[in-house]
């Protein structure tokens, strides 16, 4: 942490929970919030890159770093994919600091396999930590904020979920991870719609940065440059957006997904109706296929799945068959 905590920073007085905060993006977020005056609940199991093992060391190191810089932090070692662990995040925030303002759902790991080699256990484990591990902290925090709102103390609450480009476009060899991250986007949209009445804003980020999940799979892309050049893949580049979304200054921004990489921020635009044909009656199968080909010529080409060759534009079949009327 390069600067001391600020009593007048963007998040002064706020209490922030960051899951998976022992390393990588979570660590960068926790330090950045503390530098802007937030008090931080540093959650991390200390598990390995595939979710194995437990160690309190990483979370403790981050909390100690925040305190050494003049900030306030407590360690939480709860398993965020259990009701007990997720509820302990809220309990620790309230017990230690008397309030809860922001939750950053960040914890996760990968177990990459090609689809036909993907074990059921690897599917379940990744779904558990990413998707269930977003749902449960969000659920328990939202229950607290709803109670506050009903008691006449409407919060200025924020949730930042962590999706991925894999969840937006797909990624070869990561069917479990991509499916979980896509689910997080849908969870974000639903939560934003449901919780706005209680003073809660919910957004998601799709970050690209150097973490334990990316530095080996994408080693060349993620490598830090030498010679003092801008380190585009440093996780600290993503944190300013997360801090702003987690602050009161982000009033009115909810139900959005942002890509964040290096010095770039992109508002992602999701599924919406494209070219459409309405016959006003039931289609015959061949008729429907003919119309689909026509519509695809008008539609935008989707982004390429990570690790795959971009799809070729649709072409007319060699033998379209007899015309259907």
């Amino acid at each position: 942490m390069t600067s001391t905590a600020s009593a007048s920073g963007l998040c002064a007085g706020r209490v922030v929970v960051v899951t998976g905060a022992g390393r990588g993006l979570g660590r960068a977020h926790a330090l950045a919030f503390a530098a802007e005056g937030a008090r931080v609940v540093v959650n991390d199991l200390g598990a390995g890159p595939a979710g194995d093992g437990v160690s309190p060391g990483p979370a403790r190191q981050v909390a100690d770093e925040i305190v050494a810089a003049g900030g306030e932090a407590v360690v939480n070692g709860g398993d965020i994919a259990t009701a007990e662990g997720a509820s302990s995040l809220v309990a620790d925030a309230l017990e230690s600091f008397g309030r809860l303002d922001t939750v950053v759902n960040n914890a996760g790991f990968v177990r990459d396999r090609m689809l036909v080699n993907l074990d059921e256990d690897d599917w379940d484990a990744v779904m558990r930590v990413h998707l269930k591990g977003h749902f449960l902290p969000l659920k328990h925090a939202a229950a607290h904020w709803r109670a506050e709102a009903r008691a006449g103390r409407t919060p200025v609450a924020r949730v930042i979920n962590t999706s991925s480009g894999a969840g937006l476009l797909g990624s070869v060899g990561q069917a479990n991870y991509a499916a979980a991250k896509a689910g997080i986007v849908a969870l974000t949209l639903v939560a934003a719609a449901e919780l706005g009445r209680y003073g809660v804003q919910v957004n998601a980020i799709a970050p690209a940065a150097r973490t334990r999940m990316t530095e080996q799979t994408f080693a060349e892309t993620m490598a830090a440059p030498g010679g003092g050049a801008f380190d585009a893949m440093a996780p600290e580049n993503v944190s300013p957006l997360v801090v702003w979304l987690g602050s009161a200054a982000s009033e009115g921004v909810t139900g959005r997904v942002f890509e964040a990489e290096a010095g770039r921020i992109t508002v992602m635009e999701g599924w919406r109706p494209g070219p459409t044909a309405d016959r006003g009656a039931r289609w015959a199968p061949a008729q429907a296929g003919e119309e689909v080909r026509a519509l695809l010529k008008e539609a935008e080409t989707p982004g390429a799945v990570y690790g795959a060759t971009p799809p070729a534009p649709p072409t007319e079949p060699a033998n379209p068959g007899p015309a259907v009327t």
Side-chain angles (χ1 to χ4, degrees):
M1 192 169 175
T2 58
S3 61
T4 58
S6 171
S8 59
L10 191 64
C11 293
R14 293 180 71 80
V15 174
V16 179
V17 167
V18 183
T19 70
R23 301 181 179 93
L25 282 165
R27 174 183 179 275
H29 299 339
L31 296 178
F33 272 108
E36 289 292 337
R39 293 166 287 176
V40 185
V41 177
V42 180
N43 163 267
D44 204 287
L45 276 177
D52 53 307
V54 175
S55 170
R60 171 52 59 194
Q61 289 173 6
V62 173
D64 288 348
E65 192 170 351
I66 290 172
V67 172
E72 296 182 64
V74 295
V75 172
N76 175 284
D79 180 350
I80 46 85
T82 66
E84 180 182 7
S87 64
S88 75
L89 299 173
V90 179
D92 281 0
L94 297 178
E95 181 179 345
S96 299
F97 304 122
R99 60 186 297 128
L100 173 62
D101 300 287
T102 297
V103 172
V104 180
N105 284 315
N106 167 79
F109 55 75
V110 291
R111 294 188 183 179
D112 294 347
R113 301 281 191 280
M114 298 300 282
L115 186 60
V116 296
N117 296 322
L118 187 61
D119 293 336
E120 186 177 352
D121 287 346
D122 292 330
W123 175 273
D124 289 344
V126 169
M127 283 291 175
R128 178 184 183 275
V129 70
H130 286 281
L131 193 50
K132 190 177 181 182
H134 271 61
F135 159 65
L136 286 174
L138 175 54
K139 170 187 168 65
H140 286 279
H144 165 68
W145 289 322
R146 182 181 64 176
E148 288 290 286
R150 288 178 172 176
R153 299 184 296 270
T154 301
V156 181
R158 306 287 186 261
V159 178
I160 300 93
N161 292 329
T162 305
S163 182
S164 167
L168 303 177
L169 294 173
S171 180
V172 170
Q174 293 188 305
N176 49 359
Y177 177 76
K181 290 302 191 183
I184 288 168
V185 171
L187 175 65
T188 299
L189 301 180
V190 172
E194 290 186 358
L195 301 179
R197 72 189 73 179
Y198 305 122
V200 185
Q201 294 182 182
V202 188
N203 293 285
I205 61 166
R210 185 173 54 253
T211 70
R212 291 187 300 168
M213 292 191 292
T214 62
E215 62 186 353
Q216 294 188 11
T217 304
F218 307 104
E220 185 175 346
T221 302
M222 293 296 161
F230 175 51
D231 186 358
M233 292 296 106
E236 291 79 8
N237 298 332
V238 176
S239 298
L241 172 62
V242 175
V243 170
W244 184 82
L245 289 171
S247 74
S250 64
E251 178 66 30
V253 179
T254 192
R256 294 287 192 163
V257 180
F258 301 87
E259 272 196 338
E261 175 184 347
R264 178 173 59 84
I265 296 171
T266 303
V267 179
M268 303 304 290
E269 297 181 338
W271 292 108
R272 62 188 64 197
T276 304
D278 184 353
R279 185 168 181 261
R282 184 181 302 153
W283 298 88
Q287 215 174 20
E290 183 180 342
E291 191 59 46
V292 165
R293 290 189 178 277
L295 293 174
L296 288 173
K297 289 180 180 179
E298 302 175 31
E300 292 186 12
T301 301
V305 172
Y306 288 102
T309 303
T315 58
E316 294 293 338
N319 180 12
V324 178
T325 59

